Amino acid sequence: MINRRHIRVKVMQSVYALLQSKSDNLKKEEDFLYTSIEKMYDLYALMLRLLVEVKNLEKKHIEISGKKYLATSQDLNPNFKFINNEIFKLLDESVSLNSYLDDNKLNYWSLDNEYVHEILKLIKESDPYASYMKSDKHSFEEDRDFVVAMFKNVVAPNEKLAEYFEDRTISWVDDIPFVNTWIVKTLNQLKPKKTFQLGNLYKDDDDKKFVLDLFRKVVLNHKEFEKEIENKTPNWDTDRIAEIDMILIKMAISEFLKFPSIPTSVTINEYIEIAKDYSSEKSSFFINGVIDKILKDFTASKRLNKIGRGLM
C-alpha cells in the first residue's frame, strides 16, 4: 500500500504542475493526482504478473526441449524446481491479481514479451538461480527466499525494464523504487497454502482523504504561505529559492497549521527526507532551517493547534 511519504511526493508533483502551468482548473489536477496514484497499483500488479510470465516461459522452454528429435538426457529429464516454485504458483492462481489485470486490460507481457525473455535469461545467468537449482531442499521458505533474491538482484535493477515502464506511463518514473520495495514486502509476507489477495492501495480512508486535503490546502493558501517564508528568509529573494524547495516548505506550513493530528516532528522529518531525494543536499539543510524558524514562530505565537497524536 502507498505510504504517506509517497502521498506527499505525489502532492508535491501535482502542486508543482499546477503552479507551473498557471492553471486555475483545480478539479483537473485533483483528478490527475488520484489517477497517478491509482496507476501505481497497475505497476504493482504488472510486476507481480511478470514473475508468473517468467515461470510460464521457462515451462514452455522445457516442454519444447522434451519434444526435440535429438533430445538430450537433460532435455528428457529436466529440473522442474524453478517452474514448481510455490511462490509462482500462489501468484499464478490468485483470482484477485488475475481479475485486476483482466479488468484493466493490463496485457503488457503478451504484447511485449521480449522483456519476459530478457528477465528469464538474466535470472538463469544469476548466482541465486544456480544455487537454488542445485539445492536438494524443497520448502516454501526456500522458494520464497529465492524469488525475493531473484527480484532484488535481477528484476528491480533492470534498466531496460525501468525504461519500458517509464515510456508507458510518465508518472511511473518516481514510482518504480517505491513499487519495488512494495513487491519485496509482499513476497516476504506470503504464507504457504494461503491464497494471495491484492491488498488495498491506501492504508485507510484517512490516507485517501489526506491526498486531496493536503493538495487543496497548499494550493489555496500558497500565497499566504509564501509571506510566511519571506519573513523567515530576509537574505533571500523568493525568486532565488528553488521552486521545489518552496513547495516543500509550503507543504510543511500547511501541515503545521491545517492538520492538527500530524505531529510537527513527523512533518519536519518527512520533508527533509523528500528534499534529499528531489532537491540538492544543500536544499535539505536550507529547508530544515526555514521550517525550524517557522515552527518556533508558530509555537511562540500560539498558532499551532495540535490535538491527539499531533501533540506527540
Side-chain angles (χ1 to χ4, degrees), residues 202-257:
Y202 295 96
K203 177 184 174 182
D204 50 35
D205 289 340
D206 284 344
D207 271 11
K208 186 172 183 179
K209 185 173 179 289
F210 179 65
V211 175
L212 283 196
D213 281 352
L214 181 58
F215 176 73
R216 287 173 179 170
K217 285 177 170 58
V218 173
V219 170
L220 296 176
N221 297 282
H222 84 97
K223 286 295 184 184
E224 175 190 333
F225 294 160
E226 206 159 285
K227 293 176 184 177
E228 300 284 356
I229 297 168
E230 286 175 356
N231 294 335
K232 305 302 178 297
T233 54
N235 298 323
W236 284 79
D237 188 325
T238 54
D239 290 339
R240 291 175 56 207
I241 300 174
E243 189 71 24
I244 290 296
D245 294 357
M246 182 69 85
I247 289 171
L248 291 175
I249 296 169
K250 289 176 182 178
M251 290 173 71
I253 293 173
S254 179
E255 290 192 25
F256 287 158
L257 298 178

Side-chain angles (χ1 to χ4, degrees), residues 47-56 58 80-94 97-98 119-120 123 129 132-133 140 143-144 146-148 150-151 155 187 190 196:
M47 293 281 247
L48 289 173
R49 184 63 200 180
L50 176 60
L51 301 178
V52 176
E53 294 298 336
V54 167
K55 180 267 296 182
N56 288 343
E58 177 62 5
F80 291 107
K81 188 169 185 178
F82 181 80
I83 66 172
N84 287 337
N85 184 290
E86 286 293 317
I87 303 303
F88 295 147
K89 184 179 179 182
L90 284 179
L91 296 176
D92 198 9
E93 295 177 350
S94 171
L97 174 58
N98 291 325
I119 295 298
L120 177 59
I123 287 171
Y129 178 84
Y132 176 71
M133 297 302 281
F140 184 88
D143 285 354
R144 183 176 58 204
F146 163 68
V147 175
V148 170
M150 179 188 74
F151 186 84
V155 181
L187 294 173
L190 293 176
F196 172 68

